[in-house]
C-alpha cells in the first residue's frame, strides 16, 4: 500500500468469519494494515458458499439495497444512486513514476489513451479518503481467481470491500472463496482495496439506500505494485475490481512483462456442418453487439456457435505455437437494454435465475423491463422505472438506465462451449475487430498480414456509448476497443502486439474487421445482423481453411463476388455494403493519421507508420 496515515484507533477489528492466522503472511499483512487504516467494525473472510451468499443477500435486503424479483428464481434488483451508474473515465487513473509509462505524451492537448496521476498526488488523494472510511461497516475479504483455478493462465486477487453488493457480484463474476484462498499459498496476488466511502453513522441520507461518494470517487491502478485502489463508487466497473481494473488494466501490464495478451475480447467457437471447429476472439467497443455475437444463434443450417466468454480474453502462445485463450471471468455483466429474444435468445435463456439486475425497470408482477426487451406487458401490469417512479411509454424517458446491467453466472448459458473452463485455453485462429460505423466501412474485410491487422486494430473507430459518461453519438477512436482499459503506454502496447510475429513457431491468427451497422441514404441498416452475422463468420472460417475466394482492395481483402453465402436472404445490396469510397477513406486516413500523430506521437511504432503510409498510397490509387 502507499504510505498511510496512522489510524486513530490502531486496534484490529474482530473477525466474524474465517481465520486470519491461517493465511499466508503477505495476504495477512495486506488485510491487517488496511483494516487498521479503514477501521471497519468487523472482518469477514469470504468462503464463496451458498450459505454465505444467502446471508449477504439477506443483509442487502435488510439495508434496502436490493429487492427480490418474485417472478424469477433467486433474482434481485438493485437501484443505484443516479450519480453512480457507469464507469467514470475522468476519475480512473494509473499511477506510475513517469507519465510516459502510462500514456504517450500527446503532441497537444490531453491524452485520450488513459489518465496518469503522479505518485505524490495519489498519496494525497489516498490519505484524504481511506483513513476511517469503513467505520461501522464490515470489511469483506474476497479471495478470487481470474480464470479456472487450476489454469496456468489464471491469476489470483484479494479484494477488500465494505460493499455486500460487491461480494454477491464477485461471487458470480469470478471463482471466489475457499478454493481461490487455498491456491494463494505460494502465488503472487493482485491487491484490491475498495470502499464506497460512506462511514457510519452517515453524514447525509442515502439515495435508494445506495452508499457512494461521487464527489470523492477515484479508481486508481498501481501496476508496479500490482494494486488497485477504488473509492466512492459501488457501480460494477468501478467496484468489481476483478473486472476491467484487474482483467484488463493490471493484466495487460502483467501480460506485457510475461509475453502474453490481455484483451477486451469475446471468445467463441464455431463448428461447420462437417464438424470442424475453430475459435475466434473479437474486440468491439461497448454496445456494438459483442454479447450478442458471443451467444449468437446462427441462421445458417448446420452451423453451431458456442460461447467461451463475452468480454475479456487472456491469450498466450503455447509451445506448439498455438495462441491459447481463456475467459478469466465466471459470469456475464451485460447491458440489459436491447437484449431480447430477437437480439440474443441465449442471453434471455441465461439471465432469469441467480441474477442481480441493476438499474432496470421493475414490473408490478415482480419481473424486469427495459428498452428493447420486445415483450408486450400483460394487461394490468405496471412498470416502475429505475428512478423508482411510475412509468409509461409516453413518459418521454427510458424506463431502464441505458447502462443498466444483468450480472449472471456464465454456466447458465445454454451454449457455453464444452472447453470454456479448459485450463490450457482454446486455440484462437481468427481475431475480429469491429465498431459501429454508419457510413463508409464495409461489412467485412481481412488484413493483408499480421502487421496490417495490428494497424486495423489501432485504427478502430466507433460511435460512443452509454457505458461511460460520454453523451451523444459521436465517432470516437477506440483502438482495440481498449481505449479506456490500457494498463500502460499505447505505443508500447502496439509494439507488444507487433512482437508476436517474431515468436518462434507462432501460428498467427488471421485478422478481420467487421461492421454490422452500415446504413443506406435513408438511414436504414444495410445488413440484417444478429443470427445472419454467421454468414460473415462462415466466410472467415473458410478463409482460414484456404477455401473462400477474396479480392484485394485498398483496405484489405473482401469476399469475392459470390463468396458470401446469401442463400435465403432478400434485399441485401452487396454493392452498397462493400463500397469503398475514395472520398470517405481519404477523410478516414486523415483522421487516423492525425490521431496517431497527436495522441501516440513519438511512441508510434514505425511498422504502424509504414502501414499508415501504405494505406494512404492505396487510397490515392482508387
Amino acid at each position: 500500500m502507499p504510505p498511510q496515515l496512522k489510524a486513530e484507533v490502531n486496534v484490529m477489528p474482530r473477525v466474524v468469519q474465517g481465520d486470519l492466522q491461517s493465511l499466508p503472511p503477505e495476504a495477512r499483512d495486506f488485510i491487517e494494515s488496511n483494516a487498521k487504516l479503514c477501521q471497519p467494525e468487523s472482518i469477514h473472510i469470504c468462503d464463496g458458499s451458498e450459505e454465505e451468499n444467502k446471508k449477504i443477500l439477506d443483509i442487502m435486503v435488510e439495508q434496502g439495497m436490493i429487492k427480490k424479483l418474485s417472478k424469477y428464481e433467486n433474482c434481485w434488483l438493485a437501484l443505484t444512486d443516479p450519480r453512480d451508474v457507469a464507469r467514470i473515465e475522468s476519475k480512473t487513473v494509473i499511477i506510475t513514476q513517469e507519465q510516459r509509462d502510462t500514456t504517450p505524451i500527446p503532441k497537444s492537448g490531453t491524452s485520450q489513451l488513459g489518465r496518469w496521476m503522479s505518485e505524490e498526488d495519489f498519496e494525497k488523494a489516498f490519505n484524504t479518503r481511506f483513513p476511517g472510511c469503513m467505520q461501522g461497516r464490515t470489511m469483506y475479504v474476497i479471495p478470487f481467481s481470474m480464470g479456472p483455478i487450476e489454469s496456468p493462465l489464471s491469476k489470483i486477487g484479494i479484494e477488500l470491500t465494505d460493499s455486500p453488493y460487491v461480494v454477491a457480484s464477485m461471487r458470480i463474476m469470478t471463482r471466489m472463496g475457499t478454493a481461490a484462498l487455498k491456491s494463494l499459498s505460494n502465488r503472487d496476488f493482485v491487491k484490491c482495496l475498495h470502499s464506497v466511502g460512506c462511514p457510519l453513522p452517515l453524514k447525509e441520507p442515502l439515495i435508494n439506500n445506495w452508499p457512494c461518494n461521487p464527489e470523492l470517487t477515484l479508481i486508481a491502478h498501481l501496476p508496479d505494485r500490482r494494486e488497485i485502489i477504488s473509492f466512492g463508487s459501488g457501480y460494477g466497473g468501478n467496484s468489481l475490481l476483478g473486472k476491467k481494473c484487474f482483467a484488463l488494466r493490471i493484466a495487460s501490464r502483467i501480460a506485457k512483462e510475461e509475453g502474453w495478451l490481455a484483451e477486451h475480447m469475446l471468445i467463441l467457437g464455431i463448428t461447420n456442418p462437417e464438424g470442424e471447429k475453430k475459435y475466434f476472439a473479437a474486440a468491439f467497443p461497448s454496445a456494438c453487439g459483442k454479447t450478442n455475437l458471443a451467444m449468437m444463434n446462427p441462421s445458417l443450417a448446420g452451423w453451431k456457435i458456442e460461447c467461451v466468454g463475452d468480454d475479456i480474453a487472456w491469450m498466450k502462445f503455447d509451445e506448439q505455437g498455438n495462441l491459447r485463450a481463456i475467459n478469466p471471468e465466471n459470469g456475464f455483466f451485460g447491458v440489459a437494454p436491447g437484449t431480447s429474444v430477437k437480439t440474443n435468445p441465449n442471453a434471455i435463456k441465461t439471465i432469469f435465475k441467480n441474477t442481480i439486475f441493476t438499474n432496470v425497470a421493475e414490473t408490478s408482477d415482480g419481473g424486469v423491463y427495459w428498452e428493447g426487451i420486445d415483450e408486450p406487458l400483460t394487461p394490468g401490469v405496471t412498470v416502475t422505472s429505475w428512478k423508482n417512479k411510475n412509468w409509461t411509454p409516453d413518459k418521454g424517458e427510458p424506463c431502464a438506465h441505458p447502462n443498466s446491467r444483468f450480472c449472471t453466472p456464465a454456466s447458465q448459458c445454454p451454449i457455453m462451449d464444452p472447453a470454456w473452463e479448459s485450463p490450457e485455453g482454446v486455440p484462437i485462429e481468427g481475431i475480429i475487430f469491429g465498431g459501429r460505423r454508419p457510413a463508409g466501412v464495409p461489412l467485412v474485410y481481412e488484413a493483408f498480414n499480421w502487421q496490417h491487422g495490428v494497424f486495423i486494430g489501432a485504427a478502430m473507430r466507433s460511435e460512443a456509448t452509454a457505458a461511460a459518461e460520454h453523451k451523444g453519438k459521436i465517432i470516437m477512436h477506440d483502438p482495440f476497443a481498449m481505449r479506456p482499459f490500457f494498463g500502460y503506454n499505447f505505443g508500447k502496447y502496439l509494439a507488444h502486439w507487433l512482437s508476436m510475429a517474431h515468436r518462434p513457431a507462432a501460428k498467427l491468427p488471421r485478422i478481420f474487421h467487421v461492421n454490422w451497422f452500415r446504413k443506406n441514404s435513408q438511414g436504414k441498416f444495410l445488413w440484417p445482423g444478429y443470427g445472419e452475422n454467421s454468414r460473415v463468420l462462415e466466410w472467415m472460417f473458410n478463409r482460414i481453411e484456404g477455401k473462400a475466394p477474396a479480392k484485394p482492395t485498398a483496405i484489405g481483402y473482401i469476399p469475392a463476388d459470390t463468396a458470401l453465402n446469401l442463400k435465403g436472404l432478400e434485399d441485401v445490396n452487396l454493392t452498397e455494403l462493400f463500397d469503398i469510397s475514395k472520398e470517405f477513406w481519404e477523410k478516414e486516413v486523415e483522421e487516423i493519421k492525425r490521431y496517431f500523430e497527436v495522441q501516440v506521437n513519438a511512441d508510434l511504432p514505425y511498422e504502424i507508420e509504414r502501414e499508415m503510409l501504405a494505406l494512404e498510397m492505396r487510397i490515392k490509387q482508387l
Side-chain angles (χ1 to χ4, degrees):
M1 282 288 120
Q4 295 165 357
L5 293 181
K6 282 188 179 166
E8 290 164 30
V9 186
N10 207 3
V11 177
M12 271 302 291
R14 65 199 167 96
V15 179
V16 293
Q17 179 174 300
D19 178 11
L20 257 184
Q21 300 316 308
S22 68
L23 300 182
E26 196 184 352
R28 195 167 64 238
D29 290 350
F30 170 59
I31 296 162
E32 287 179 348
S33 62
N34 283 295
K36 285 173 185 170
L37 175 82
C38 301
Q39 298 170 31
E41 191 174 275
S42 57
I43 295 173
H44 174 122
I45 301 169
C46 297
D47 60 18
S49 66
E50 189 54 55
E51 185 189 0
E52 174 186 76
N53 186 50
K54 283 197 175 92
K55 282 182 188 164
I56 295 289
L57 293 167
D58 286 347
I59 287 167
M60 285 195 281
V61 169
E62 204 179 300
Q63 293 176 356
M65 271 186 95
I66 61 169
K67 66 189 292 191
K68 195 166 185 12
L69 292 162
S70 57
K71 195 172 179 178
Y72 319 117
E73 182 189 333
N74 193 31
C75 286
W76 309 85
L77 174 62
L79 300 179
T80 73
D81 184 314
R83 299 168 299 169
D84 190 22
V85 292
R87 284 184 295 103
I88 310 174
E89 287 174 24
S90 57
K91 296 182 178 188
T92 302
V93 298
I94 294 177
I95 290 96
T96 48
Q97 280 192 317
E98 302 295 329
Q99 181 177 346
R100 201 168 169 184
D101 294 334
T102 293
T103 64
I105 307 298
K107 198 170 256 184
S108 60
T110 55
S111 176
Q112 294 169 17
L113 292 161
R115 291 181 84 87
W116 176 73
M117 185 183 260
S118 71
E119 291 173 332
E120 297 73 29
D121 285 350
F122 175 67
E123 192 181 319
K124 283 181 210 150
F126 183 89
N127 287 334
T128 57
R129 285 165 173 78
F130 279 91
C133 67
M134 295 187 184
Q135 281 173 359
R137 297 188 181 276
T138 298
M139 174 189 275
Y140 297 98
V141 177
I142 306 173
F144 64 97
S145 175
M146 298 307 291
I149 284 175
E150 69 284 8
S151 169
L153 295 169
S154 295
K155 301 284 178 195
I156 299 289
I158 295 179
E159 176 165 359
L160 311 179
T161 180
D162 52 8
S163 166
Y165 173 87
V166 169
V167 179
S169 303
M170 286 288 282
R171 184 175 184 266
I172 295 170
M173 292 306 301
T174 70
R175 283 98 178 157
M176 179 268 258
T178 304
L181 206 51
K182 280 181 184 159
S183 70
L184 246 184
S185 53
N186 51 3
R187 294 171 71 174
D188 291 337
F189 65 94
V190 172
K191 301 179 173 96
C192 307
L193 173 62
H194 168 256
S195 174
V196 291
C198 290
L200 298 174
L202 293 169
K203 292 194 174 107
E204 51 190 73
L206 300 178
I207 298 172
N208 288 337
N209 297 307
W210 181 264
C212 62
N213 189 339
E215 287 75 27
L216 289 177
T217 294
L218 184 68
I219 301 97
H221 307 72
L222 292 87
D224 294 330
R225 303 183 198 172
R226 307 283 192 258
E227 289 178 11
I228 303 158
I229 295 172
S230 172
F231 186 90
S233 170
Y235 165 78
N238 306 325
S239 67
L240 311 183
L241 300 184
K243 199 158 176 54
K244 308 293 201 213
C245 297
F246 182 161
L248 290 178
R249 295 189 194 100
I250 293 292
S252 65
R253 168 68 185 271
I254 297 173
K256 176 180 176 279
E257 291 169 16
E258 296 180 354
W260 49 282
L261 300 165
E263 299 299 327
H264 189 207
M265 291 182 176
L266 65 88
I267 309 165
L268 62 81
I270 179 165
T271 307
N272 70 7
E274 291 71 54
E276 299 161 315
K277 186 169 197 175
K278 295 191 185 303
Y279 288 95
F280 286 83
F284 294 87
S286 293
C288 285
K290 197 168 161 206
T291 301
N292 294 350
L293 182 62
M295 299 185 193
M296 184 208 294
N297 266 355
S299 61
L300 289 178
W303 286 79
K304 181 163 78 170
I305 284 177
E306 289 165 302
C307 177
V308 176
D310 78 323
D311 196 38
I312 295 170
W314 287 1
M315 302 185 286
K316 188 176 188 176
F317 284 101
D318 66 13
E319 284 171 11
Q320 288 72 47
N322 300 304
L323 186 61
R324 292 269 172 185
I326 63 166
N327 166 15
E329 299 191 296
N330 196 40
F332 302 127
F333 187 66
V335 174
T339 304
S340 69
V341 170
K342 181 194 168 196
T343 63
N344 196 336
N346 289 311
I348 292 292
K349 288 174 188 162
T350 305
I351 61 179
F352 291 121
K353 63 177 181 185
N354 305 317
T355 296
I356 299 171
F357 293 94
T358 303
N359 288 340
V360 300
E362 184 188 5
T363 58
S364 56
D365 59 349
V368 290
Y369 207 70
W370 51 73
E371 278 58 42
I373 198 168
D374 261 4
E375 280 182 27
L377 288 165
T378 311
V381 168
T382 58
V383 175
T384 303
S385 79
W386 77 280
K387 292 180 177 173
N388 226 344
K389 293 176 181 163
N390 289 336
W391 181 88
T392 52
D394 56 11
K395 285 279 187 202
E397 63 173 20
C399 64
H401 187 275
N403 193 40
S404 54
R405 298 279 172 162
F406 52 79
C407 181
T408 197
S411 58
Q412 294 179 181
C413 177
I415 58 155
M416 284 315 278
D417 193 273
W420 86 276
E421 294 193 280
S422 152
E424 66 275 11
V426 297
I428 300 295
E429 293 186 64
I431 289 172
I432 304 167
F433 295 118
R436 186 179 277 269
R437 299 301 304 271
V441 179
L443 176 65
V444 60
Y445 58 99
E446 181 188 342
F448 295 124
N449 52 44
W450 182 257
Q451 287 77 9
H452 181 227
V454 175
F455 168 79
I456 288 170
M460 274 172 68
R461 301 175 72 215
S462 187
E463 276 188 343
T465 77
E469 75 267 39
H470 300 287
K471 303 286 189 287
K473 301 277 186 187
I474 51 165
I475 304 284
M476 285 180 68
H477 293 270
D478 196 349
F480 289 76
M482 279 283 284
R483 184 193 53 75
F485 309 123
F486 293 117
Y488 63 99
N489 181 311
F490 172 54
K492 302 285 186 284
Y493 168 95
L494 287 174
H496 182 56
W497 263 79
L498 290 163
S499 75
M500 297 297 152
H502 310 305
R503 304 207 150 225
K507 297 170 191 165
L508 296 170
R510 299 274 188 111
I511 297 179
F512 302 89
H513 187 285
V514 298
N515 173 29
W516 320 127
F517 302 99
R518 194 167 184 174
K519 293 178 178 177
N520 64 15
S521 52
Q522 283 80 52
K524 297 267 190 323
F525 287 117
L526 287 164
W527 181 249
Y530 305 115
E532 304 299 354
N533 294 338
S534 56
R535 299 168 186 273
V536 175
L537 292 179
E538 177 192 36
W539 179 74
M540 294 177 189
F541 187 108
N542 291 333
R543 284 295 292 160
I544 295 165
E545 289 277 286
K547 291 176 184 169
K551 53 186 181 189
T553 71
I555 63 171
Y557 297 111
I558 63 170
D561 293 341
T562 55
L564 202 59
N565 175 358
L566 297 179
K567 197 175 168 190
L569 263 194
E570 290 171 18
D571 301 329
V572 169
N573 186 330
L574 283 184
T575 311
E576 268 193 271
L577 260 179
F578 285 97
D579 178 55
I580 296 165
S581 146
K582 183 174 185 175
E583 188 188 359
F584 173 89
W585 278 93
E586 279 175 341
K587 284 183 190 151
E588 188 76 359
V589 162
E590 279 312 305
E591 281 289 341
I592 296 163
K593 203 166 151 188
R594 190 181 312 123
Y595 183 72
F596 287 164
E597 278 174 10
V598 173
Q599 285 293 322
V600 198
N601 198 2
D603 290 316
L604 189 71
Y606 77 92
E607 297 95 329
I608 300 296
E609 217 167 316
R610 199 172 58 202
E611 290 295 338
M612 183 81 251
L613 289 168
L615 174 62
E616 199 170 13
M617 293 302 292
R618 294 192 300 267
I619 298 296
K620 272 185 183 156
Q621 287 160 16
L622 279 175

